[in-house]
Amino acid sequence: MVGLKPSDVPPPLGVKVLSAGTAACIADLVTFPLDTAKVRLQIQGEKAVMGAAKGIRYRGVFGTISTMVRTEGPRSLYNGLVAGLQRQMAFASIRIGLYDNVKSFYTRGKDNPNVGIRILAGCTTGALAVSVAQPTDVVKVRFQAQMNLQGVGRRYSGTMQAYRQIFQHEGLRGLWKGTLPNITRNALVNCTELVSYDLIKEAILKHKLLPDTLPCHFVSAFGAGFITTVIASPVDVVKTRYMNSPPEQYRSSLNCAWTMMTKEGPTAFYKGFVPSFLRLGSWNVVMFVSFEQLKRAMMMSRSRIEATA
C-alpha cells in the first residue's frame, strides 16, 4: 500500500456501504417529485384511484407535477419522503455498497470479471436489498399514491402509523406485499444499472475518452439510467400497482399484470415512462456522482487520519 494514492486503494466495505446509502438519500431528495409523478401516472386508470380523483387527470410528468401542486399543494410532491429515505439507507447501502464485494466473491478475487459474473452479483445484491427493505418501499408507494384533497380520506397520517396500520390490518404479508415483483424489478434494475454503469465507465476509460472524473461519472450514469428504464419499466408499473392495491383487488402480481393487459392493453406497462426515465436518469447521475465523490472524500480523510496517527 505504500506509495499508493488514496484513489488507488480499494475502499473498505464500511466506506462503500455508507457512501452508497448517503448518495442515494441525496439523489432521492433531488428527484423525489419526479418519482411521485411517476407513481401517480402508473396508478392512473385504477377504479379506486379514479373514484378518489373526481375528474382529475394527469398528463405527462410536468403536467402531473403542476396538477398536484395546484390541487394538493407543493408538499404533496414529497409524500412518503421519510419512508423513501429509510428505504435508501436500507436498500441502496446493500445493493450498491455490497456489489463490488459480491462480484469479487464470485470471481474469487480475480480482476476483470465477465458480464455474467457482474449480472449475477447485481441480482444477488438486488434481491438481498429488497428482502430487507420491502416494508419501507410499500409505505413509500402508498404515501405517494394517496391524494391530499378535501373530502378524500387519507389512508395514512404518518410513516410509523402507516407501518403499524399495515401490520394490524394486513399482517407481515402486507408489509412485504409485492416482494416477488419487486425482487424481479430490482434484479433487472440492479443488474442493468450497475452493469451498464460499470461497462460504460470502463469503455470510456479504456478508450481514453474522458478521465476518471465527474464528466465520466455523469455520462456513465445517464446512459445506465436510460437502459435501465427501458428494460425495467413494465415490471415497475406492475410493482407499483400491486403494492398500492387494497386487499383482494389482485390475487397476485401475475394477476395484476394480466388485468392490466386485458383491460388497458400493453401500453399500460409503459405508463409513466417519461417520468421514470427523467427520475431514474437524474437519480443515477446524482447518486453515482455523489457516490464516487463521497468514496474519495472518505478515503482521503481516512488516509489523513492514518498519516497523523
Side-chain angles (χ1 to χ4, degrees), residues 52-68:
K54 297 180 180 178
I56 294 174
R57 182 152 185 85
Y58 303 119
R59 297 182 185 279
V61 56
F62 297 112
T64 299
I65 291 172
S66 175
T67 300
M68 288 181 65

Side-chain angles (χ1 to χ4, degrees), residues 56 83 109 127 130 224 252 272 302:
I56 294 174
V130 171
S252 65
R302 186 180 180 217

Side-chain angles (χ1 to χ4, degrees), residues 41-116:
L41 283 166
Q42 287 177 339
I43 64 172
Q44 186 165 256
E46 291 192 315
K47 288 183 179 179
V49 176
M50 290 172 71
K54 297 180 180 178
I56 294 174
R57 182 152 185 85
Y58 303 119
R59 297 182 185 279
V61 56
F62 297 112
T64 299
I65 291 172
S66 175
T67 300
M68 288 181 65
V69 171
R70 189 179 69 252
T71 58
E72 304 173 54
R75 289 183 63 183
S76 64
L77 297 173
Y78 283 90
N79 276 353
L81 177 63
V82 173
L85 296 179
Q86 291 171 350
R87 174 180 179 268
Q88 293 302 350
M89 285 308 297
F91 182 67
S93 298
I94 295 171
R95 79 176 183 94
I96 298 169
L98 296 183
Y99 173 70
D100 285 337
N101 289 71
V102 172
K103 192 168 60 175
S104 179
F105 171 78
Y106 284 136
T107 60
R108 298 181 181 178
K110 295 178 182 177
D111 293 330
N112 301 317
N114 59 41
V115 174

Side-chain angles (χ1 to χ4, degrees), residues 136-276:
T136 62
D137 205 9
V138 171
V139 171
K140 178 186 81 79
V141 166
R142 292 192 183 187
F143 262 104
Q144 289 176 312
Q146 75 178 6
M147 297 184 173
N148 302 328
L149 298 172
Q150 287 188 343
V152 177
R154 290 170 60 85
R155 294 171 79 179
Y156 312 109
S157 57
T159 305
M160 298 313 295
Q161 181 264 342
Y163 287 118
R164 285 196 303 271
Q165 186 171 322
I166 293 170
F167 176 71
Q168 289 167 359
H169 292 174
E170 303 174 47
L172 282 174
R173 289 184 66 182
L175 288 171
W176 267 268
K177 187 174 186 177
T179 301
L180 179 60
N182 212 11
I183 284 178
T184 305
R185 184 246 182 199
N186 279 293
L188 285 171
V189 167
N190 214 41
C191 289
T192 312
E193 191 176 76
L194 294 177
V195 173
S196 297
Y197 181 81
D198 242 1
L199 293 174
I200 293 170
K201 182 181 171 184
E202 278 186 13
I204 289 171
L205 296 176
K206 182 180 178 181
H207 294 93
K208 299 181 180 180
L209 300 175
L210 292 168
D212 190 6
T213 54
L214 195 147
C216 172
H217 306 155
F218 179 93
V219 172
S220 303
F222 190 81
F226 179 76
I227 296 168
T228 304
T229 308
V230 171
I231 292 175
S233 192
V235 182
D236 190 34
V237 176
V238 173
K239 179 213 78 164
T240 298
R241 289 209 177 182
Y242 186 61
M243 289 198 309
N244 182 58
S245 65
E248 311 304 329
Q249 182 173 352
Y250 301 116
R251 293 191 301 274
S252 65
S253 55
L254 290 176
N255 175 248
C256 177
W258 177 250
T259 302
M260 287 173 58
M261 173 64 78
T262 54
K263 292 189 175 180
E264 301 174 59
T267 56
F269 293 98
Y270 279 92
K271 277 191 172 181
F273 179 83
V274 173
S276 287

